[in-house]
Structures are given as C-alpha cells and as structure tokens.
Amino acid sequence: MKKGVCMNRKNFFFTSESVTEGHPDKVCDQISDAVLDDVIGKDPAGRVACETFITVGLVIVGGEITTKGYVDINGLVRSLLKEIGYTQPEYGFSYDTCAILNAIGPQSPDISQGVDIGGAGDQGLMVGYACKETPELMPLPIMLAQKLCKRLAEVRKKNILDYLGPDGKSQVTVEYENGVPKRVDCVVLSSQHTKKILDPSGKRITEQAKEQLIENVIKPMIADEFLDEKTKFLINPTGKFVIGGPQSDTGMTGRKIIVDTYGGMAPHGGGAFSGKDPTKVDRSASYMARYIAKNIVSADLAKKCAVMLAYAIGVTEPVSVMVDTYGTGKIPESRLVELVKKNFKLTPKGMIEMLRLRRPIYLPTAVYGHFGRNEPNFTWEKTDKVEDLRRDV
C-alpha cells in the first residue's frame, strides 16, 4: 500500500497537486470513463476495463469490454476531445485530425466466472479518508489544487483569459500548526498558452499575464485568510508553456491516482478508477470506503478517519476491514469496525446497490477529483448514515 503521511505530527508543510482536463493523463481518464458511461447507459450489466493512451496525433483505446450494446469509439473520442478544447492547431493536437486506434476485446472468461457469482473483479486493498479540514471533509491542499485547475478551465472556456490552452497544472503547499491548516505558503500554477502573452525575448510570459492569472484564477479560489505577504506565487515557472498536451507528453489512464483521491494525505491502495465498471472493487470499494469514512467523521465519532477494505478476486466478502482514526476517535476502532459491518454493505453487489453505481455517472469523476464534490450523482459523498451510526453507538 502506498503510504500517505496523515499521522499525528503537529507542525509541517504539506503539498498536493492537480491537473486540468486537458492534461494528457486526464484526457485518457475521461475517454476511458466516457466509454464506460456509454456502455453502462445501454447495458447496465456490461463489463468494462478500458484503458487509453494518447501521444502526438494518436489515441489508442484498449482493454476488455463485454456488452450487448455498441460503442462508437471514434465518434465518442472526437466529441470528447472537442469538448475538452483541443480544437486549434496551435495547441499541437486536434480532435478532427488525430488518428484513433480501437484495440478492445472481451473480458477474460476466467475473471467472468468469479464476477458472475457476485465476487470481486480483482484482488486489492482500497482506502477511503475524511477529515474536518474543509466543509467537504477533505484535506485542504488537494481541495485548493482541484479548485485552481477547475478555475483554469473556467476562465479559458468563458474567454476571460483568451490565451489559455487546455493543458495545465496546479500545486498548493499549506503550512500546518498543531495539525490545523494555518496558511498557504506556495502556489504553483502552470497553464498552456498561446504566443500572445510572451515578452519580447520569447522565452517567458509577461508580468502582466502572471498578474492576470493570480487575480483571475488564484485569488478567487483561495480565501484571503490563507494568503499573506509571505505566500509565494510561481506562475509558469519554466518561463513559458506554449507546447503542451499530447504534443509535449504522452498520457495514460490511471496515472493520476493521488490527484484523484486525497492528494497524498492518506494512504492509497494503488488501484486506479477510470475506465472500470463497479464490479471492479478498485473503484466501488474506494467509493464505499470514502462513504464510510465521511459518515464516521460527520457523526463526530472522529476528527479524521481512514477506512481500508481488502478483497480477493472472485470472493464476495472483504478479507479485511480496518478503521484508523489517528488517535482522534471517540470510541475504540474495533467498535467502529463492528459498526461499519453492521451499517454498510461491503460485498461487490451490496456496494453497487447501496451507492447506485450501475448508472452512466462516471465521466464527471474523471477530472477534478473523485471525492469532496457534493454533486447529485456522487452518492459516496452523502452523509445519510450519520444517525444510524450515532444510534448504534
């Protein structure tokens, strides 16, 4: 299990990053989840494990899909690339001229025979986390990083800053005192742009452009209480970012798992989410673990909480259930495990039913994080088990 650093330290600096919807890895995540949505919308029982690779002028969509429906991979990919914003040759990649290769096959019958009886679609361990740092019950650094990237896309699409391209990144460093976020120490913002904002040297963007990005992207997203005279703003720190997207970097599904989750503040089991139908516990159990952790914290049974669920391929019940409150729990963790088993369905079928996962709801999750978003289809963000937990305590 990849270690997070959420421990009982008091004074420290912590950094999380995010990327925009035009980042090559996130383009791949979105394509994979768009394929999943298309399949599950036509055939809720469809099995999907879709992976995407993107590079200069080429998109490859592969994996294992078993469905009664039909997916127009070519049309779906071009439509999504257009929506993301790869519409101009100056961005180095265009939705209407790129080549698309379809390399999809059916799911292995050796896996199917275990899934058909309600077993997990793979082995693995999945982690959910919640804390009281933000209203979303998420760590502050990753929430700020996600909001900055979402804002970058917003000012681009609304033409507030007409020189921005689809690719971009953010990074936020927060200073903690006594375990509580005190201030933002550093913000890194890198955004693809046209040559329009280069200074006469052609090697860096103008100071005016930097100020526009600070005023239109950073300050609207980070509360004044977290900014002070010592906060550093690093805007396109290499100088310029004209060449971006698939022209400058390859992309693959599942390479931004820390961006997708808790920004490194909590452990991660290692499995990616996008392109996987809910029989894959990599996805469904991670959503369930977040659902459990959020309800435990919302019920004031702990100030922060990590939940780990582990499964064996083809087996219905989890092989282990663990709750860690990092010393903030109001009741023993062994008792919390009992409450979890009583109030939450932990089999693959039970998680799918409880969270209503056999619906085409996944494309929006593929960018700006799978957690901390209070949107209607993010059922794992609900806190409807709070009263049940309190009653049982």
Side-chain angles (χ1 to χ4, degrees), residues 116-138:
D116 289 342
I117 61 172
D122 202 352
Q123 70 176 42
L125 55 148
M126 297 81 206
V127 178
Y129 179 77
C131 64
K132 291 197 172 184
E133 289 185 18
T134 64
E136 299 90 353
L137 300 186
M138 289 283 287

mmCIF file of all heavy atoms in Angstrom, residues 116-138:
data_model
loop_
_atom_site.group_PDB
_atom_site.id
_atom_site.type_symbol
_atom_site.label_atom_id
_atom_site.label_comp_id
_atom_site.label_asym_id
_atom_site.label_seq_id
_atom_site.Cartn_x
_atom_site.Cartn_y
_atom_site.Cartn_z
ATOM 1 N N ASP A 116 -19.475 -13.328 -12.058
ATOM 2 C CA ASP A 116 -20.864 -13.729 -12.313
ATOM 3 C C ASP A 116 -21.583 -14.172 -11.049
ATOM 4 O O ASP A 116 -22.808 -14.034 -10.940
ATOM 5 C CB ASP A 116 -20.908 -14.865 -13.356
ATOM 6 C CG ASP A 116 -20.540 -14.375 -14.752
ATOM 7 O OD1 ASP A 116 -20.581 -13.152 -14.976
ATOM 8 O OD2 ASP A 116 -20.195 -15.224 -15.606
ATOM 9 N N ILE A 117 -20.853 -14.710 -10.088
ATOM 10 C CA ILE A 117 -21.483 -15.181 -8.841
ATOM 11 C C ILE A 117 -21.448 -14.122 -7.742
ATOM 12 O O ILE A 117 -21.743 -14.403 -6.584
ATOM 13 C CB ILE A 117 -20.808 -16.473 -8.358
ATOM 14 C CG1 ILE A 117 -19.307 -16.236 -8.071
ATOM 15 C CG2 ILE A 117 -21.000 -17.590 -9.358
ATOM 16 C CD1 ILE A 117 -18.610 -17.421 -7.407
ATOM 17 N N GLY A 118 -21.062 -12.896 -8.129
ATOM 18 C CA GLY A 118 -21.070 -11.797 -7.160
ATOM 19 C C GLY A 118 -19.751 -11.527 -6.488
ATOM 20 O O GLY A 118 -19.665 -10.735 -5.553
ATOM 21 N N GLY A 119 -18.691 -12.197 -6.957
ATOM 22 C CA GLY A 119 -17.377 -11.979 -6.359
ATOM 23 C C GLY A 119 -16.718 -10.716 -6.858
ATOM 24 O O GLY A 119 -17.146 -10.102 -7.830
ATOM 25 N N ALA A 120 -15.634 -10.331 -6.184
ATOM 26 C CA ALA A 120 -14.878 -9.141 -6.586
ATOM 27 C C ALA A 120 -14.195 -9.375 -7.925
ATOM 28 O O ALA A 120 -13.740 -10.481 -8.223
ATOM 29 C CB ALA A 120 -13.837 -8.806 -5.525
ATOM 30 N N GLY A 121 -14.112 -8.324 -8.737
ATOM 31 C CA GLY A 121 -13.500 -8.428 -10.052
ATOM 32 C C GLY A 121 -11.993 -8.431 -10.021
ATOM 33 O O GLY A 121 -11.343 -8.621 -11.046
ATOM 34 N N ASP A 122 -11.407 -8.246 -8.851
ATOM 35 C CA ASP A 122 -9.955 -8.299 -8.712
ATOM 36 C C ASP A 122 -9.613 -8.323 -7.232
ATOM 37 O O ASP A 122 -10.457 -8.046 -6.378
ATOM 38 C CB ASP A 122 -9.296 -7.094 -9.385
ATOM 39 C CG ASP A 122 -7.831 -7.331 -9.751
ATOM 40 O OD1 ASP A 122 -7.289 -8.385 -9.352
ATOM 41 O OD2 ASP A 122 -7.244 -6.489 -10.438
ATOM 42 N N GLN A 123 -8.374 -8.662 -6.930
ATOM 43 C CA GLN A 123 -7.914 -8.541 -5.556
ATOM 44 C C GLN A 123 -7.426 -7.124 -5.322
ATOM 45 O O GLN A 123 -7.248 -6.349 -6.264
ATOM 46 C CB GLN A 123 -6.775 -9.510 -5.288
ATOM 47 C CG GLN A 123 -5.476 -9.145 -6.007
ATOM 48 C CD GLN A 123 -4.332 -10.063 -5.643
ATOM 49 O OE1 GLN A 123 -4.510 -11.268 -5.546
ATOM 50 N NE2 GLN A 123 -3.160 -9.504 -5.438
ATOM 51 N N GLY A 124 -7.182 -6.774 -4.073
ATOM 52 C CA GLY A 124 -6.601 -5.469 -3.793
ATOM 53 C C GLY A 124 -7.117 -4.862 -2.507
ATOM 54 O O GLY A 124 -8.021 -5.388 -1.862
ATOM 55 N N LEU A 125 -6.496 -3.754 -2.131
ATOM 56 C CA LEU A 125 -6.903 -3.012 -0.952
ATOM 57 C C LEU A 125 -7.271 -1.596 -1.354
ATOM 58 O O LEU A 125 -6.627 -0.990 -2.197
ATOM 59 C CB LEU A 125 -5.790 -2.992 0.095
ATOM 60 C CG LEU A 125 -4.423 -2.477 -0.327
ATOM 61 C CD1 LEU A 125 -3.735 -1.797 0.848
ATOM 62 C CD2 LEU A 125 -3.549 -3.635 -0.827
ATOM 63 N N MET A 126 -8.346 -1.092 -0.792
ATOM 64 C CA MET A 126 -8.883 0.212 -1.149
ATOM 65 C C MET A 126 -9.043 1.053 0.106
ATOM 66 O O MET A 126 -9.437 0.547 1.159
ATOM 67 C CB MET A 126 -10.234 0.079 -1.862
ATOM 68 C CG MET A 126 -10.143 -0.652 -3.182
ATOM 69 S SD MET A 126 -10.104 -2.441 -2.939
ATOM 70 C CE MET A 126 -9.249 -2.911 -4.437
ATOM 71 N N VAL A 127 -8.751 2.337 -0.017
ATOM 72 C CA VAL A 127 -8.738 3.225 1.141
ATOM 73 C C VAL A 127 -9.665 4.410 0.925
ATOM 74 O O VAL A 127 -9.687 5.002 -0.156
ATOM 75 C CB VAL A 127 -7.307 3.729 1.438
ATOM 76 C CG1 VAL A 127 -7.302 4.704 2.617
ATOM 77 C CG2 VAL A 127 -6.368 2.555 1.719
ATOM 78 N N GLY A 128 -10.430 4.745 1.954
ATOM 79 C CA GLY A 128 -11.222 5.970 1.969
ATOM 80 C C GLY A 128 -10.795 6.831 3.131
ATOM 81 O O GLY A 128 -10.301 6.316 4.148
ATOM 82 N N TYR A 129 -10.972 8.138 3.003
ATOM 83 C CA TYR A 129 -10.473 9.061 4.036
ATOM 84 C C TYR A 129 -11.414 10.247 4.169
ATOM 85 O O TYR A 129 -12.056 10.662 3.198
ATOM 86 C CB TYR A 129 -9.071 9.550 3.646
ATOM 87 C CG TYR A 129 -8.450 10.537 4.611
ATOM 88 C CD1 TYR A 129 -7.912 10.112 5.817
ATOM 89 C CD2 TYR A 129 -8.408 11.894 4.315
ATOM 90 C CE1 TYR A 129 -7.338 11.005 6.698
ATOM 91 C CE2 TYR A 129 -7.827 12.799 5.186
ATOM 92 C CZ TYR A 129 -7.294 12.356 6.390
ATOM 93 O OH TYR A 129 -6.735 13.247 7.260
ATOM 94 N N ALA A 130 -11.493 10.789 5.362
ATOM 95 C CA ALA A 130 -12.249 12.028 5.603
ATOM 96 C C ALA A 130 -11.632 12.743 6.803
ATOM 97 O O ALA A 130 -11.081 12.108 7.703
ATOM 98 C CB ALA A 130 -13.720 11.729 5.864
ATOM 99 N N CYS A 131 -11.705 14.062 6.791
ATOM 100 C CA CYS A 131 -11.195 14.862 7.907
ATOM 101 C C CYS A 131 -11.969 16.171 7.961
ATOM 102 O O CYS A 131 -12.708 16.511 7.035
ATOM 103 C CB CYS A 131 -9.700 15.141 7.754
ATOM 104 S SG CYS A 131 -9.291 16.140 6.298
ATOM 105 N N LYS A 132 -11.783 16.921 9.035
ATOM 106 C CA LYS A 132 -12.576 18.132 9.246
ATOM 107 C C LYS A 132 -11.864 19.415 8.824
ATOM 108 O O LYS A 132 -12.199 20.501 9.291
ATOM 109 C CB LYS A 132 -13.000 18.215 10.711
ATOM 110 C CG LYS A 132 -14.009 17.139 11.088
ATOM 111 C CD LYS A 132 -14.727 17.444 12.382
ATOM 112 C CE LYS A 132 -15.859 16.457 12.611
ATOM 113 N NZ LYS A 132 -16.648 16.765 13.823
ATOM 114 N N GLU A 133 -10.911 19.298 7.906
ATOM 115 C CA GLU A 133 -10.175 20.487 7.478
ATOM 116 C C GLU A 133 -11.004 21.417 6.607
ATOM 117 O O GLU A 133 -10.757 22.621 6.568
ATOM 118 C CB GLU A 133 -8.917 20.075 6.701
ATOM 119 C CG GLU A 133 -7.849 19.449 7.562
ATOM 120 C CD GLU A 133 -6.578 19.159 6.769
ATOM 121 O OE1 GLU A 133 -6.398 19.731 5.680
ATOM 122 O OE2 GLU A 133 -5.765 18.360 7.251
ATOM 123 N N THR A 134 -11.945 20.869 5.854
ATOM 124 C CA THR A 134 -12.745 21.661 4.919
ATOM 125 C C THR A 134 -14.211 21.260 5.033
ATOM 126 O O THR A 134 -14.529 20.191 5.564
ATOM 127 C CB THR A 134 -12.278 21.412 3.468
ATOM 128 O OG1 THR A 134 -12.519 20.032 3.142
ATOM 129 C CG2 THR A 134 -10.802 21.730 3.293
ATOM 130 N N PRO A 135 -15.134 22.084 4.526
ATOM 131 C CA PRO A 135 -16.556 21.697 4.539
ATOM 132 C C PRO A 135 -16.814 20.394 3.798
ATOM 133 O O PRO A 135 -17.761 19.675 4.117
ATOM 134 C CB PRO A 135 -17.236 22.875 3.831
ATOM 135 C CG PRO A 135 -16.324 24.035 4.032
ATOM 136 C CD PRO A 135 -14.944 23.467 4.021
ATOM 137 N N GLU A 136 -15.971 20.085 2.818
ATOM 138 C CA GLU A 136 -16.129 18.845 2.054
ATOM 139 C C GLU A 136 -15.567 17.635 2.793
ATOM 140 O O GLU A 136 -15.631 16.508 2.294
ATOM 141 C CB GLU A 136 -15.416 18.967 0.701
ATOM 142 C CG GLU A 136 -15.948 20.085 -0.184
ATOM 143 C CD GLU A 136 -15.242 21.428 0.038
ATOM 144 O OE1 GLU A 136 -14.418 21.530 0.984
ATOM 145 O OE2 GLU A 136 -15.487 22.362 -0.747
ATOM 146 N N LEU A 137 -15.001 17.865 3.991
ATOM 147 C CA LEU A 137 -14.349 16.819 4.788
ATOM 148 C C LEU A 137 -13.188 16.186 4.020
ATOM 149 O O LEU A 137 -13.014 14.973 3.987
ATOM 150 C CB LEU A 137 -15.358 15.750 5.234
ATOM 151 C CG LEU A 137 -16.534 16.262 6.101
ATOM 152 C CD1 LEU A 137 -17.381 15.101 6.590
ATOM 153 C CD2 LEU A 137 -16.044 17.103 7.272
ATOM 154 N N MET A 138 -12.416 17.054 3.395
ATOM 155 C CA MET A 138 -11.238 16.660 2.629
ATOM 156 C C MET A 138 -10.025 17.452 3.110
ATOM 157 O O MET A 138 -10.170 18.531 3.703
ATOM 158 C CB MET A 138 -11.466 16.944 1.142
ATOM 159 C CG MET A 138 -12.460 16.030 0.463
ATOM 160 S SD MET A 138 -11.774 14.408 0.104
ATOM 161 C CE MET A 138 -10.667 14.795 -1.271
#
